Amino acid sequence: AYERMCCFLARNSNSVVVSVGYRLAPEHPYPTQFKDCLAATVHFMRAARDHGVDPSRIAVCGDSSGGTLAAAVAQALVNRRDLPKLRAQILIYPFLQAVDFNLPSYQQNKGVPILLKEHIIAYGLKYINKDVSDIDMISKGCHVPEDLQQKYQKWVSADCIPHEFKTRGYKPSTTQPFSEELHALMKLVFEPVFSPLLAEDSVIAHLPETFILTCEFDVLRDDGLLYKKRLKDHGIKVTWCHLKEGFHGIIFLTIYGGLLAFRS
């Protein structure tokens, strides 16, 4: 599905592009996908010169859940002393956290195609092989205990989103009752591999230069905005591109040129 995109990137950036055919859930449960991406990245970094690539100029890139994996791989490589440092990470409307599904972008774009709010939660549950019947409670935040809410408040909060992104129908959400049973089922989603935005400061502070693309009409917009803030707060150079008329999946769809065309 991504061959056209990879060829386009290779041609137009004069780069070697390696696409990882990682195994898919639910047949191969989480975190198989991360392990496959990390293994492929490590292998390529070690063999880069065999492909005519400068090992100091390697970047990881992904869109949507691929952005999650790219961010997780970049974090996993932070403390590796046996490999060259990543040159950059490129995150295209990435999914980065499963703590707050009531951020402004989730409220504003919950029914905007092609990625609805309920789809995000359902895909996440299937990814970790959990029952999708708990979507409503997870949507309300019932899976997050108070101690974690307080810990993550400084990283995942509407307070960290610039005011201009709250003007389109956002209302602060009220606290919902916590479910111990639901939390036990959902513990995996608080791991940085699943939610890279929840990584500790000691990891964030050593990430490479970053490019982040966000779209206005995308439930994941605020994940990108929050990660941008965290990175910049730690002195990481961030290039941010925001498509004011963009929506989730636009990069993938745009390569079909003649069939579909968008101003963004």
Coordinates of all heavy atoms in Angstrom, one line a residue, residues 25-91:
A25 N -1.1 -6.9 14.0 CA -2.0 -7.4 15.0 C -3.4 -7.6 14.3 O -3.6 -7.0 13.3 CB -2.2 -6.4 16.1
P26 N -4.3 -8.4 14.9 CA -4.1 -9.2 16.1 C -3.4 -10.5 16.0 O -3.1 -11.1 17.1 CB -5.6 -9.4 16.5 CG -6.3 -9.5 15.2 CD -5.6 -8.6 14.3
E27 N -3.1 -11.0 14.8 CA -2.4 -12.3 14.7 C -1.1 -12.2 15.4 O -0.6 -13.2 16.0 CB -2.2 -12.6 13.2 CG -3.5 -12.9 12.4 CD -4.2 -11.7 12.0 OE1 -3.7 -10.6 12.2 OE2 -5.3 -11.8 11.4
H28 N -0.4 -11.1 15.3 CA 0.9 -10.9 16.0 C 0.7 -9.7 17.0 O 0.8 -8.6 16.7 CB 2.0 -10.6 15.0 CG 2.2 -11.6 14.0 ND1 2.9 -12.8 14.2 CD2 1.7 -11.7 12.7 CE1 2.8 -13.5 13.1 NE2 2.1 -12.9 12.2
P29 N 0.4 -10.1 18.3 CA 0.0 -9.1 19.2 C 1.2 -8.1 19.6 O 2.3 -8.4 19.4 CB -0.4 -9.9 20.5 CG 0.3 -11.2 20.3 CD 0.4 -11.4 18.8
Y30 N 0.7 -6.9 20.1 CA 1.6 -5.9 20.6 C 2.5 -6.5 21.6 O 2.1 -7.4 22.4 CB 0.8 -4.8 21.3 CG 1.5 -3.9 22.2 CD1 2.1 -2.7 21.7 CD2 1.6 -4.1 23.5 CE1 2.7 -1.8 22.5 CE2 2.3 -3.2 24.4 CZ 2.9 -2.1 23.9 OH 3.5 -1.2 24.7
P31 N 3.8 -6.2 21.7 CA 4.5 -5.2 20.9 C 5.4 -5.7 19.8 O 6.4 -5.2 19.5 CB 5.4 -4.6 22.0 CG 5.9 -5.7 22.8 CD 4.7 -6.7 22.9
T32 N 4.9 -6.8 19.1 CA 5.6 -7.4 18.0 C 6.0 -6.3 16.9 O 7.1 -6.3 16.4 CB 4.7 -8.4 17.3 OG1 4.4 -9.4 18.3 CG2 5.5 -9.1 16.1
Q33 N 5.0 -5.4 16.7 CA 5.3 -4.4 15.6 C 6.5 -3.5 16.0 O 7.3 -3.2 15.1 CB 4.0 -3.5 15.5 CG 2.8 -4.3 15.0 CD 2.2 -5.3 16.1 OE1 2.3 -5.0 17.3 NE2 1.6 -6.3 15.6
F34 N 6.5 -3.1 17.2 CA 7.7 -2.2 17.7 C 9.0 -3.0 17.6 O 10.0 -2.5 17.1 CB 7.4 -1.8 19.1 CG 8.7 -1.3 19.8 CD1 9.2 -0.1 19.5 CD2 9.3 -2.1 20.8 CE1 10.4 0.4 20.1 CE2 10.4 -1.6 21.4 CZ 11.0 -0.4 21.1
K35 N 8.9 -4.3 18.0 CA 10.2 -5.1 18.0 C 10.7 -5.3 16.6 O 11.9 -5.2 16.3 CB 9.9 -6.4 18.7 CG 9.7 -6.4 20.2 CD 9.4 -7.7 20.8 CE 9.3 -7.6 22.3 NZ 9.0 -9.0 22.9
D36 N 9.7 -5.5 15.6 CA 10.1 -5.7 14.2 C 10.8 -4.4 13.7 O 11.8 -4.4 13.0 CB 8.9 -6.0 13.4 CG 8.5 -7.4 13.5 OD1 9.1 -8.2 14.3 OD2 7.4 -7.8 13.0
C37 N 10.1 -3.2 14.0 CA 10.7 -1.9 13.5 C 12.0 -1.6 14.1 O 12.9 -1.1 13.4 CB 9.7 -0.8 13.8 SG 8.2 -0.9 12.8
L38 N 12.2 -1.9 15.4 CA 13.4 -1.7 16.1 C 14.5 -2.6 15.5 O 15.6 -2.1 15.2 CB 13.3 -1.9 17.6 CG 14.6 -1.7 18.4 CD1 15.1 -0.3 18.3 CD2 14.3 -2.0 19.9
A39 N 14.2 -3.9 15.3 CA 15.2 -4.8 14.8 C 15.6 -4.4 13.4 O 16.8 -4.4 13.0 CB 14.6 -6.2 14.7
A40 N 14.7 -4.0 12.5 CA 15.0 -3.6 11.2 C 15.8 -2.3 11.2 O 16.8 -2.2 10.4 CB 13.7 -3.3 10.4
T41 N 15.5 -1.4 12.1 CA 16.3 -0.1 12.2 C 17.7 -0.4 12.6 O 18.7 0.1 12.0 CB 15.6 0.9 13.1 OG1 14.3 1.1 12.7 CG2 16.3 2.2 13.1
V42 N 17.9 -1.2 13.6 CA 19.2 -1.5 14.2 C 20.0 -2.2 13.1 O 21.2 -1.9 12.8 CB 19.1 -2.4 15.4 CG1 20.5 -3.0 15.8 CG2 18.5 -1.6 16.6
H43 N 19.4 -3.2 12.4 CA 20.1 -3.9 11.3 C 20.6 -2.9 10.2 O 21.7 -3.0 9.8 CB 19.2 -4.9 10.7 CG 19.8 -5.6 9.5 ND1 20.8 -6.6 9.6 CD2 19.6 -5.4 8.1 CE1 21.1 -7.0 8.3 NE2 20.4 -6.3 7.5
F44 N 19.7 -2.0 9.8 CA 20.1 -1.1 8.7 C 21.1 -0.1 9.2 O 22.1 0.2 8.4 CB 18.8 -0.3 8.3 CG 19.1 0.6 7.1 CD1 19.4 0.1 5.9 CD2 19.2 2.0 7.3 CE1 19.7 1.0 4.8 CE2 19.5 2.8 6.3 CZ 19.8 2.3 5.0
M45 N 21.1 0.3 10.4 CA 22.1 1.3 10.9 C 23.5 0.6 10.9 O 24.5 1.2 10.6 CB 21.7 1.7 12.4 CG 20.5 2.6 12.4 SD 20.1 3.1 14.1 CE 20.9 4.6 14.2
R46 N 23.5 -0.7 11.2 CA 24.8 -1.4 11.2 C 25.3 -1.7 9.8 O 26.5 -1.8 9.5 CB 24.6 -2.7 12.0 CG 24.5 -2.5 13.5 CD 24.3 -3.8 14.2 NE 24.3 -3.6 15.7 CZ 23.8 -4.4 16.6 NH1 23.1 -5.5 16.2 NH2 23.9 -4.1 17.9
A47 N 24.3 -1.8 8.9 CA 24.7 -2.2 7.5 C 24.6 -1.0 6.5 O 24.6 -1.2 5.3 CB 23.8 -3.3 7.0
A48 N 24.4 0.2 7.1 CA 24.1 1.4 6.2 C 25.1 1.6 5.1 O 24.7 1.8 3.9 CB 24.1 2.6 7.1
R49 N 26.4 1.4 5.4 CA 27.4 1.7 4.3 C 27.3 0.7 3.2 O 27.7 1.0 2.1 CB 28.8 1.6 5.0 CG 29.1 2.8 6.0 CD 30.5 2.9 6.3 NE 30.7 3.9 7.3 CZ 30.7 5.3 7.1 NH1 30.5 5.7 5.9 NH2 30.9 6.1 8.2
D50 N 26.8 -0.5 3.5 CA 26.6 -1.5 2.4 C 25.6 -1.0 1.4 O 25.5 -1.5 0.3 CB 26.1 -2.9 3.0 CG 27.2 -3.5 3.9 OD1 28.4 -3.1 3.8 OD2 26.8 -4.3 4.8
H51 N 24.7 -0.1 1.8 CA 23.7 0.4 0.9 C 24.0 1.9 0.5 O 23.1 2.6 0.0 CB 22.3 0.4 1.7 CG 21.9 -0.9 2.1 ND1 21.3 -1.8 1.3 CD2 22.0 -1.5 3.3 CE1 21.0 -2.9 1.9 NE2 21.5 -2.8 3.2
G52 N 25.3 2.3 0.6 CA 25.7 3.6 0.2 C 25.1 4.7 1.1 O 25.0 5.8 0.6
V53 N 24.8 4.4 2.3 CA 24.2 5.4 3.2 C 25.2 5.8 4.3 O 25.9 4.9 4.9 CB 23.0 4.8 3.9 CG1 22.4 5.7 4.9 CG2 21.9 4.6 2.8
D54 N 25.3 7.1 4.6 CA 26.1 7.6 5.7 C 25.4 7.3 7.0 O 24.2 7.8 7.2 CB 26.2 9.1 5.5 CG 27.0 9.8 6.6 OD1 27.3 9.1 7.6 OD2 27.4 11.0 6.5
P55 N 25.9 6.5 7.9 CA 25.3 6.1 9.1 C 24.9 7.3 10.0 O 24.0 7.1 10.9 CB 26.3 5.2 9.9 CG 27.2 4.8 8.8 CD 27.3 5.9 7.8
S56 N 25.5 8.5 9.8 CA 25.1 9.6 10.6 C 24.0 10.4 10.1 O 23.6 11.4 10.6 CB 26.4 10.5 10.8 OG 26.7 11.2 9.5
R57 N 23.4 9.9 8.9 CA 22.3 10.7 8.3 C 21.1 9.8 8.1 O 20.3 9.9 7.1 CB 22.8 11.2 6.9 CG 23.9 12.3 7.1 CD 24.3 12.8 5.7 NE 23.2 13.3 4.9 CZ 22.8 14.6 5.1 NH1 23.3 15.4 6.0 NH2 21.8 15.0 4.3
I58 N 20.8 9.0 9.1 CA 19.6 8.1 9.1 C 18.5 8.7 9.9 O 18.7 9.2 11.1 CB 19.9 6.7 9.6 CG1 21.0 6.0 8.7 CG2 18.7 5.9 9.7 CD1 21.5 4.7 9.2
A59 N 17.3 8.8 9.3 CA 16.1 9.3 10.0 C 15.0 8.2 10.1 O 15.0 7.3 9.1 CB 15.5 10.5 9.3
V60 N 14.2 8.2 11.1 CA 13.1 7.3 11.1 C 11.8 8.1 10.8 O 11.7 9.3 11.2 CB 12.9 6.6 12.5 CG1 14.0 5.5 12.6 CG2 12.9 7.5 13.6
C61 N 10.9 7.5 10.1 CA 9.7 8.3 9.7 C 8.5 7.3 9.7 O 8.6 6.1 9.5 CB 9.9 8.8 8.3 SG 8.5 9.5 7.5
G62 N 7.3 7.9 10.0 CA 6.1 7.1 10.0 C 4.9 8.1 10.1 O 4.9 9.2 10.6
D63 N 3.7 7.6 9.5 CA 2.5 8.4 9.6 C 1.5 7.6 10.4 O 1.4 6.3 10.4 CB 2.0 8.8 8.3 CG 1.3 7.6 7.5 OD1 1.9 6.5 7.5 OD2 0.3 7.8 6.9
S64 N 0.7 8.3 11.2 CA -0.4 7.7 12.0 C 0.2 6.7 13.0 O 1.1 7.0 13.8 CB -1.5 7.1 11.1 OG -2.6 6.8 11.9
S65 N -0.2 5.4 13.0 CA 0.4 4.4 13.9 C 1.8 4.2 13.6 O 2.6 3.8 14.4 CB -0.4 3.1 13.9 OG -0.4 2.6 12.6
G66 N 2.2 4.4 12.3 CA 3.6 4.4 11.9 C 4.4 5.4 12.6 O 5.6 5.3 12.9
G67 N 3.8 6.6 12.9 CA 4.4 7.7 13.6 C 4.7 7.3 15.1 O 5.7 7.6 15.7
T68 N 3.7 6.5 15.6 CA 3.9 5.9 16.9 C 5.1 5.1 17.0 O 6.0 5.2 17.9 CB 2.7 5.1 17.3 OG1 1.5 5.7 17.0 CG2 2.7 4.8 18.8
L69 N 5.2 4.2 16.0 CA 6.4 3.3 16.0 C 7.7 4.0 15.8 O 8.7 3.7 16.4 CB 6.2 2.2 14.9 CG 5.0 1.2 15.1 CD1 4.6 0.5 13.9 CD2 5.4 0.3 16.3
A70 N 7.7 5.0 14.9 CA 8.9 5.8 14.7 C 9.4 6.5 15.9 O 10.5 6.5 16.3 CB 8.7 6.8 13.5
A71 N 8.4 7.1 16.6 CA 8.7 7.8 17.9 C 9.2 6.8 18.9 O 10.2 7.1 19.7 CB 7.5 8.5 18.4
A72 N 8.6 5.6 19.0 CA 9.1 4.6 20.0 C 10.4 4.1 19.7 O 11.3 3.9 20.6 CB 8.0 3.5 20.0
V73 N 10.7 3.9 18.4 CA 12.1 3.4 18.0 C 13.1 4.5 18.3 O 14.2 4.2 18.9 CB 12.1 3.1 16.5 CG1 13.5 2.9 16.0 CG2 11.3 1.8 16.2
A74 N 12.8 5.7 18.0 CA 13.8 6.8 18.4 C 14.0 6.9 19.8 O 15.2 7.1 20.3 CB 13.2 8.2 17.9
Q75 N 13.0 6.7 20.7 CA 13.2 6.6 22.1 C 14.1 5.4 22.6 O 14.9 5.6 23.4 CB 11.9 6.6 22.8 CG 11.1 7.9 22.7 CD 9.8 7.9 23.4 OE1 9.4 6.9 24.1 NE2 9.0 8.9 23.3
A76 N 13.8 4.3 21.9 CA 14.6 3.1 22.3 C 16.1 3.2 22.0 O 16.9 2.5 22.6 CB 14.0 1.9 21.6
L77 N 16.4 4.0 21.0 CA 17.8 4.1 20.6 C 18.6 5.2 21.3 O 19.8 5.3 21.1 CB 17.8 4.5 19.1 CG 17.3 3.4 18.1 CD1 17.3 3.9 16.7 CD2 18.1 2.1 18.2
V78 N 17.9 6.0 22.2 CA 18.5 7.1 22.9 C 19.8 6.6 23.6 O 20.8 7.3 23.6 CB 17.5 7.7 23.8 CG1 18.2 8.5 24.9 CG2 16.6 8.7 23.0
N79 N 19.7 5.5 24.3 CA 20.8 5.1 25.2 C 21.7 4.0 24.6 O 22.5 3.4 25.3 CB 20.2 4.6 26.5 CG 19.6 5.7 27.3 OD1 20.1 6.8 27.4 ND2 18.4 5.5 27.9
R80 N 21.5 3.8 23.3 CA 22.4 2.8 22.6 C 23.7 3.4 22.4 O 23.9 4.4 21.7 CB 21.7 2.3 21.3 CG 20.4 1.5 21.5 CD 20.7 0.1 22.1 NE 21.4 -0.7 21.2 CZ 20.8 -1.7 20.4 NH1 19.5 -1.8 20.4 NH2 21.5 -2.4 19.6
R81 N 24.8 2.7 22.9 CA 26.1 3.2 22.6 C 26.8 2.4 21.5 O 27.9 2.8 21.1 CB 26.9 3.0 23.9 CG 26.4 3.9 25.1 CD 26.6 5.4 24.9 NE 26.0 6.1 26.0 CZ 24.9 6.8 25.9 NH1 24.1 6.7 24.8 NH2 24.4 7.5 26.9
D82 N 26.2 1.4 21.0 CA 26.8 0.5 20.0 C 26.3 0.9 18.6 O 26.6 0.3 17.6 CB 26.4 -0.9 20.2 CG 24.9 -1.1 20.3 OD1 24.2 -0.2 20.7 OD2 24.4 -2.2 19.8
L83 N 25.5 2.0 18.5 CA 25.0 2.5 17.2 C 25.2 4.0 17.0 O 25.3 4.7 18.0 CB 23.5 2.2 17.1 CG 23.0 0.7 17.2 CD1 21.5 0.7 17.5 CD2 23.4 0.0 16.0
P84 N 25.2 4.4 15.7 CA 25.3 5.9 15.5 C 24.0 6.5 16.0 O 23.0 5.8 16.1 CB 25.4 6.0 14.0 CG 24.9 4.7 13.5 CD 25.2 3.6 14.5
K85 N 24.1 7.8 16.3 CA 22.9 8.5 16.7 C 21.9 8.8 15.5 O 22.4 9.0 14.4 CB 23.2 9.9 17.3 CG 24.0 9.8 18.6 CD 23.1 9.3 19.7 CE 23.8 9.3 21.1 NZ 23.0 8.7 22.1
L86 N 20.6 8.7 15.7 CA 19.7 9.0 14.7 C 19.9 10.5 14.3 O 20.0 11.3 15.1 CB 18.3 8.8 15.1 CG 17.7 7.4 15.0 CD1 16.3 7.4 15.6 CD2 17.7 6.8 13.6
R87 N 19.8 10.8 13.0 CA 19.9 12.2 12.6 C 18.6 12.9 12.9 O 18.6 14.1 13.2 CB 20.2 12.2 11.0 CG 20.1 13.6 10.4 CD 21.2 14.5 11.0 NE 21.1 15.8 10.5 CZ 20.3 16.8 10.9 NH1 19.6 16.5 12.0 NH2 20.3 18.0 10.4
A88 N 17.4 12.2 12.7 CA 16.1 12.9 12.9 C 15.0 11.9 13.0 O 15.2 10.7 12.7 CB 15.8 13.8 11.7
Q89 N 13.9 12.4 13.5 CA 12.6 11.6 13.4 C 11.6 12.5 12.7 O 11.5 13.7 13.0 CB 12.2 11.2 14.8 CG 11.9 12.3 15.8 CD 11.4 11.8 17.1 OE1 10.8 10.7 17.2 NE2 11.5 12.6 18.2
I90 N 10.8 11.8 11.9 CA 9.7 12.5 11.1 C 8.4 11.9 11.5 O 8.2 10.7 11.2 CB 10.0 12.4 9.6 CG1 11.4 13.0 9.2 CG2 8.9 13.0 8.8 CD1 11.8 12.6 7.9
L91 N 7.5 12.6 12.1 CA 6.3 12.1 12.7 C 5.1 12.8 12.0 O 4.9 14.0 12.2 CB 6.2 12.3 14.2 CG 7.5 11.9 15.0 CD1 7.3 12.2 16.5 CD2 7.8 10.4 14.8

